[in-house]
Amino acid sequence: MITRLEAALGRSDLVQRMVLLPRPIKPDLETHPDTKTIGFVVGFSGSAHSQAALDLALCMAHQTRLAKPNPVLVHVVYVVDKTRPKTIANADRILWQARCLASEWRGALDAHLRVGQVATELSQVAREMKAEIMLLGCHSRKHLLVQQLARQTPCSVLGLPG
């Protein structure tokens, strides 16, 4: 899978450049462990990097479905930056692109369109969906979005650098 992502991104050092912001998993005492939905959140913009993040999330979800009895759901989040409202016109096309990628994996996918500051909205969806991990494309470990998510996201974050 990593080789496929490296080819898609035109890189050969993806494993060395991935960014992981781990968070301890807190047990959910309210539900039975075998019935709790396992959630992955993907920050999606339609870029090659976000497509790679979605592809990896869908692969992880597929493998998780094979190994665990829990339902698994991928949440794709497209955030329209409130300072650039013209980007909302692209939302349908971008979320349709995500649905097409998910249909290849025959996985469950929920699409979320949010308006606001990107890190805040991604963190809010992760919190609402009680996600285990968030995946996103990024430029480097020092990418501003990664730094913002490190301070406010309740789950682990995996950044795939370009």
Side-chain angles (χ1 to χ4, degrees), residues 77-81 112-116 120-122 124-125 128-129:
V77 184
Y78 177 65
V79 180
V80 176
D81 187 331
H112 303 261
L113 173 61
R114 297 288 181 108
V115 177
T120 301
E121 296 301 321
L122 287 173
Q124 184 63 34
V125 171
E128 290 170 6
M129 301 304 148

Tab-separated table of all heavy atoms in Angstrom, residues 77-81 112-116 120-122 124-125 128-129:
chain	number	residue	atom	x	y	z
A	77	VAL	N	-14.000	14.968	5.071
A	77	VAL	CA	-14.372	16.330	5.430
A	77	VAL	C	-13.731	17.302	4.455
A	77	VAL	O	-12.508	17.328	4.289
A	77	VAL	CB	-13.906	16.671	6.869
A	77	VAL	CG1	-14.388	18.060	7.259
A	77	VAL	CG2	-14.381	15.617	7.862
A	78	TYR	N	-14.577	18.077	3.793
A	78	TYR	CA	-14.111	19.169	2.941
A	78	TYR	C	-14.508	20.457	3.635
A	78	TYR	O	-15.684	20.673	3.940
A	78	TYR	CB	-14.744	19.088	1.549
A	78	TYR	CG	-14.353	20.236	0.643
A	78	TYR	CD1	-13.034	20.404	0.242
A	78	TYR	CD2	-15.299	21.148	0.201
A	78	TYR	CE1	-12.671	21.451	-0.589
A	78	TYR	CE2	-14.940	22.190	-0.633
A	78	TYR	CZ	-13.626	22.344	-1.024
A	78	TYR	OH	-13.264	23.384	-1.838
A	79	VAL	N	-13.516	21.285	3.912
A	79	VAL	CA	-13.774	22.533	4.621
A	79	VAL	C	-13.605	23.698	3.663
A	79	VAL	O	-12.561	23.848	3.035
A	79	VAL	CB	-12.824	22.708	5.824
A	79	VAL	CG1	-13.119	24.015	6.556
A	79	VAL	CG2	-12.936	21.521	6.774
A	80	VAL	N	-14.665	24.497	3.566
A	80	VAL	CA	-14.604	25.732	2.792
A	80	VAL	C	-14.092	26.803	3.741
A	80	VAL	O	-14.721	27.088	4.766
A	80	VAL	CB	-15.998	26.118	2.246
A	80	VAL	CG1	-15.926	27.460	1.537
A	80	VAL	CG2	-16.519	25.042	1.313
A	81	ASP	N	-12.945	27.338	3.414
A	81	ASP	CA	-12.359	28.396	4.228
A	81	ASP	C	-13.261	29.618	4.151
A	81	ASP	O	-13.573	30.104	3.064
A	81	ASP	CB	-10.965	28.724	3.704
A	81	ASP	CG	-10.196	29.687	4.577
A	81	ASP	OD1	-10.831	30.525	5.261
A	81	ASP	OD2	-8.960	29.606	4.577
A	112	HIS	N	-18.735	15.167	4.688
A	112	HIS	CA	-19.075	16.333	5.502
A	112	HIS	C	-18.565	17.587	4.800
A	112	HIS	O	-17.397	17.655	4.430
A	112	HIS	CB	-18.405	16.261	6.878
A	112	HIS	CG	-18.743	15.031	7.655
A	112	HIS	ND1	-19.692	15.026	8.642
A	112	HIS	CD2	-18.255	13.765	7.588
A	112	HIS	CE1	-19.766	13.820	9.163
A	112	HIS	NE2	-18.915	13.027	8.531
A	113	LEU	N	-19.432	18.557	4.643
A	113	LEU	CA	-19.054	19.864	4.122
A	113	LEU	C	-19.146	20.838	5.273
A	113	LEU	O	-20.199	20.966	5.908
A	113	LEU	CB	-19.984	20.288	2.973
A	113	LEU	CG	-19.794	21.710	2.449
A	113	LEU	CD1	-18.385	21.905	1.884
A	113	LEU	CD2	-20.842	22.017	1.390
A	114	ARG	N	-18.060	21.503	5.565
A	114	ARG	CA	-18.016	22.465	6.665
A	114	ARG	C	-17.510	23.799	6.140
A	114	ARG	O	-16.745	23.850	5.178
A	114	ARG	CB	-17.086	21.988	7.787
A	114	ARG	CG	-17.502	20.698	8.463
A	114	ARG	CD	-18.727	20.949	9.328
A	114	ARG	NE	-19.170	19.777	10.029
A	114	ARG	CZ	-19.039	19.588	11.336
A	114	ARG	NH1	-18.466	20.473	12.095
A	114	ARG	NH2	-19.501	18.481	11.886
A	115	VAL	N	-17.930	24.859	6.795
A	115	VAL	CA	-17.457	26.207	6.467
A	115	VAL	C	-16.801	26.761	7.712
A	115	VAL	O	-17.390	26.737	8.799
A	115	VAL	CB	-18.622	27.125	6.020
A	115	VAL	CG1	-18.117	28.536	5.765
A	115	VAL	CG2	-19.306	26.558	4.792
A	116	GLY	N	-15.588	27.228	7.570
A	116	GLY	CA	-14.879	27.800	8.710
A	116	GLY	C	-13.385	27.628	8.567
A	116	GLY	O	-12.867	27.454	7.474
A	120	THR	N	-9.967	23.837	12.855
A	120	THR	CA	-11.070	23.828	13.823
A	120	THR	C	-12.179	22.890	13.371
A	120	THR	O	-12.699	22.090	14.151
A	120	THR	CB	-11.623	25.250	14.021
A	120	THR	OG1	-10.557	26.085	14.476
A	120	THR	CG2	-12.762	25.278	15.002
A	121	GLU	N	-12.555	22.975	12.100
A	121	GLU	CA	-13.646	22.148	11.583
A	121	GLU	C	-13.253	20.676	11.523
A	121	GLU	O	-14.064	19.805	11.859
A	121	GLU	CB	-14.094	22.653	10.210
A	121	GLU	CG	-14.689	24.048	10.228
A	121	GLU	CD	-15.904	24.169	11.137
A	121	GLU	OE1	-16.724	23.227	11.186
A	121	GLU	OE2	-16.042	25.212	11.799
A	122	LEU	N	-12.020	20.372	11.109
A	122	LEU	CA	-11.574	18.977	11.095
A	122	LEU	C	-11.573	18.401	12.503
A	122	LEU	O	-12.034	17.272	12.729
A	122	LEU	CB	-10.169	18.872	10.489
A	122	LEU	CG	-10.050	19.068	8.982
A	122	LEU	CD1	-8.584	19.114	8.575
A	122	LEU	CD2	-10.777	17.973	8.232
A	124	GLN	N	-13.386	19.379	15.015
A	124	GLN	CA	-14.771	19.263	15.480
A	124	GLN	C	-15.415	17.972	14.958
A	124	GLN	O	-16.084	17.267	15.702
A	124	GLN	CB	-15.590	20.484	15.055
A	124	GLN	CG	-17.002	20.495	15.575
A	124	GLN	CD	-17.066	20.544	17.090
A	124	GLN	OE1	-16.226	21.156	17.738
A	124	GLN	NE2	-18.045	19.888	17.670
A	125	VAL	N	-15.201	17.666	13.687
A	125	VAL	CA	-15.752	16.419	13.136
A	125	VAL	C	-15.132	15.219	13.849
A	125	VAL	O	-15.835	14.276	14.217
A	125	VAL	CB	-15.545	16.331	11.608
A	125	VAL	CG1	-15.920	14.951	11.078
A	125	VAL	CG2	-16.355	17.401	10.896
A	128	GLU	N	-16.859	14.980	17.203
A	128	GLU	CA	-18.259	14.551	17.081
A	128	GLU	C	-18.372	13.078	16.723
A	128	GLU	O	-19.270	12.383	17.196
A	128	GLU	CB	-18.980	15.390	16.016
A	128	GLU	CG	-19.213	16.829	16.408
A	128	GLU	CD	-19.711	17.682	15.245
A	128	GLU	OE1	-19.994	17.137	14.154
A	128	GLU	OE2	-19.789	18.908	15.430
A	129	MET	N	-17.497	12.601	15.860
A	129	MET	CA	-17.565	11.222	15.382
A	129	MET	C	-16.752	10.270	16.253
A	129	MET	O	-16.681	9.072	15.964
A	129	MET	CB	-17.072	11.125	13.933
A	129	MET	CG	-17.855	11.982	12.964
A	129	MET	SD	-19.602	11.586	13.042
A	129	MET	CE	-20.319	13.168	12.674
